[in-house]
C-alpha cells in the first residue's frame, strides 16, 4: 500500500483494493504541488469536515473522476446537491466498500461550510477516519483537539499509521499530538496540518524528537509534499 502526502491534511492511499483521496485542498493551497486535474482514477474522496481547507476541491474531483464522496450525512447532503455520488456516514458508523472499510470517528472541531459572507451552512460534525485496506488500519484524525477516546481507538485497532495534526492554533499542537500518539499506539505516525500558512508553522523535527522520547513505540515519519511511503 502507498500513502502519498499532498500537503496540509490531504493524503492519497493506493492499495490493492483501490484509490482513496482524503481532504483534497489543492487549488487554494500554497504548498500543494498537484492540482485537481492530476487525479483521473479515484474510487473515493473522503472529507473530514466542511472547512475550506478540507472540503477544498473534493466536489470537483469527485465529479470529474466519478469517485464517491464520503462524509458525515449533512456534509454529504451538501455535496450531493452538486450532483456528486455520495455515501453518508456518521460518527461510530462504518461501511465496507470494495476499496476498503471506512469508519467515522469523532473529532473535536467545527464543520461549518462558509458561505463567504461570514455566515455558515451547517456541515454536521467534524470527523476523523479509520480506514482498513489490505487488512491494515489507518487513522486520519481530521482537524481535532486531543481527546481521551483516542485511547479506545488505539486499544481496538492495530494501527499501522496515524496521520495527526500538529499545527496548533486550530488543532492539536506538537505536545498534544505526542500524547495522542501514546494513546493510539500506531506503528507509524505522520504529522500533518502544519506549515501551510504562517499561523500554523511548526518545527516538525522537534515533533519527531519529542515523539521518539515520549512514545518510542511509534515511528515518526516526516513526509515532504508529494512524498510517498510504503506500508
Ligand atoms: Ni477545520
Ligand atoms: Mn483545517
Amino acid at each position: 500500500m502507498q500513502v502519498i502526502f499532498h500537503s496540509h491534511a490531504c493524503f492519497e492511499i493506493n492499495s490493492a483494493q483501490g484509490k482513496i483521496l482524503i481532504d483534497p485542498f489543492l487549488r487554494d493551497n500554497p504548498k500543494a504541488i498537484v492540482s485537481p486535474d492530476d487525479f483521473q482514477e479515484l474510487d473515493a474522496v473522503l472529507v473530514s469536515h466542511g472547512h475550506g481547507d478540507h472540503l477544498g476541491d473534493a466536489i470537483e474531483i469527485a465529479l470529474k473522476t466519478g469517485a464517491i464522496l464520503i462524509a458525515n450525512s449533512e456534509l454529504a447532503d451538501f455535496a450531493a446537491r452538486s450532483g456528486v455520488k455520495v455515501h453518508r456516514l456518521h460518527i461510530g458508523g462504518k461501511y465496507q466498500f470494495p476499496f476498503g472499510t471506512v469508519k467515522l470517528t469523532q473529532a473535536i472541531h467545527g464543520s461549518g461550510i462558509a458561505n463567504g459572507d461570514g455566515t455558515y451552512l451547517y456541515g454536521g460534525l467534524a470527523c476523523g477516519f479509520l480506514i482498513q485496506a489490505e487488512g491494515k488500519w489507518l487513522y486520519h484524525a481530521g482537524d481535532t483537539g486531543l481527546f481521551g477516546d483516542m485511547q479506545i481507538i488505539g486499544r481496538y485497532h492495530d494501527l499501522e499509521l496515524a496521520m495527526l495534526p500538529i499545527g496548533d492554533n486550530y488543532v492539536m499542537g506538537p505536545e498534544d499530538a505526542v500524547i495522542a500518539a501514546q494513546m493510539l499506539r500506531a506503528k507509524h505516525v505522520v504529522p500533518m496540518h502544519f506549515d501551510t500558512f504562517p499561523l500554523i508553522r511548526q518545527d516538525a523535527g522537534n515533533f519527531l524528537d519529542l515523539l521518539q522520547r515520549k512514545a518510542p513505540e511509534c515511528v515518526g515519519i516526516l513526509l515532504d509534499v508529494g512524498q510517498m511511503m510504503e506500508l
Side-chain angles (χ1 to χ4, degrees), residues 48-54 109-111 126 143 170-171 193:
S48 64
H49 63 291
H51 293 165
D53 56 324
H54 298 261
H109 195 71
S111 185
D143 274 6
Y170 300 111
V171 293
H193 210 279

Side-chain angles (χ1 to χ4, degrees), residues 183-206:
M183 291 197 280
L184 292 162
R185 294 181 297 188
K187 282 195 196 79
H188 305 95
V189 171
V190 170
M192 64 171 179
H193 210 279
F194 67 98
D195 281 1
T196 322
F197 315 107
L199 191 58
I200 58 172
R201 195 161 286 153
Q202 289 296 334
D203 185 339
N206 272 348

Side-chain angles (χ1 to χ4, degrees), residues 31-81:
K31 293 287 159 82
I33 55 173
V34 289
S35 85
D37 299 323
D38 292 321
F39 297 93
Q40 263 103 44
E41 277 170 43
L42 212 52
D43 294 294
V45 181
L46 276 50
V47 184
S48 64
H49 63 291
H51 293 165
D53 56 324
H54 298 261
L55 182 55
D57 309 295
I59 292 172
E60 178 185 338
I61 293 171
L63 271 176
K64 190 169 52 88
T65 59
I68 189 163
L69 188 149
I70 302 172
N72 80 60
S73 301
E74 293 87 352
L75 185 50
D77 272 339
F78 169 79
R81 297 203 322 230

Side-chain angles (χ1 to χ4, degrees), residues 82-217:
S82 309
V84 173
K85 215 170 26 167
V86 301
H87 187 104
R88 300 164 179 84
L89 285 173
H90 234 305
I91 296 171
K94 66 175 181 306
Y95 189 82
Q96 216 174 319
F97 299 93
F99 47 83
T101 296
V102 180
K103 182 175 183 176
L104 249 58
T105 65
Q106 71 162 326
I108 311 295
H109 195 71
S111 185
I113 305 159
N115 288 318
D117 61 359
T119 66
Y120 281 84
L121 282 174
Y122 182 66
L125 296 171
C127 299
F129 297 106
L130 278 162
I131 300 160
Q132 190 186 39
E134 295 180 5
K136 293 169 183 152
W137 280 105
L138 316 181
Y139 173 54
H140 183 290
D143 274 6
T144 188
L146 182 65
F147 58 91
D149 283 0
M150 285 181 179
Q151 193 107 42
I152 294 175
I153 295 174
R155 192 181 305 155
Y156 296 106
H157 303 85
D158 188 13
L159 298 177
E160 192 68 28
L161 170 66
M163 293 156 265
L164 302 178
I166 66 160
D168 222 331
N169 195 80
Y170 300 111
V171 293
M172 292 189 284
E175 303 85 359
D176 283 359
V178 167
I179 299 169
Q182 289 171 334
M183 291 197 280
L184 292 162
R185 294 181 297 188
K187 282 195 196 79
H188 305 95
V189 171
V190 170
M192 64 171 179
H193 210 279
F194 67 98
D195 281 1
T196 322
F197 315 107
L199 191 58
I200 58 172
R201 195 161 286 153
Q202 289 296 334
D203 185 339
N206 272 348
F207 167 72
L208 294 188
D209 289 345
L210 199 60
L211 185 71
Q212 197 173 21
R213 276 191 285 127
K214 302 264 175 92
E217 68 279 13

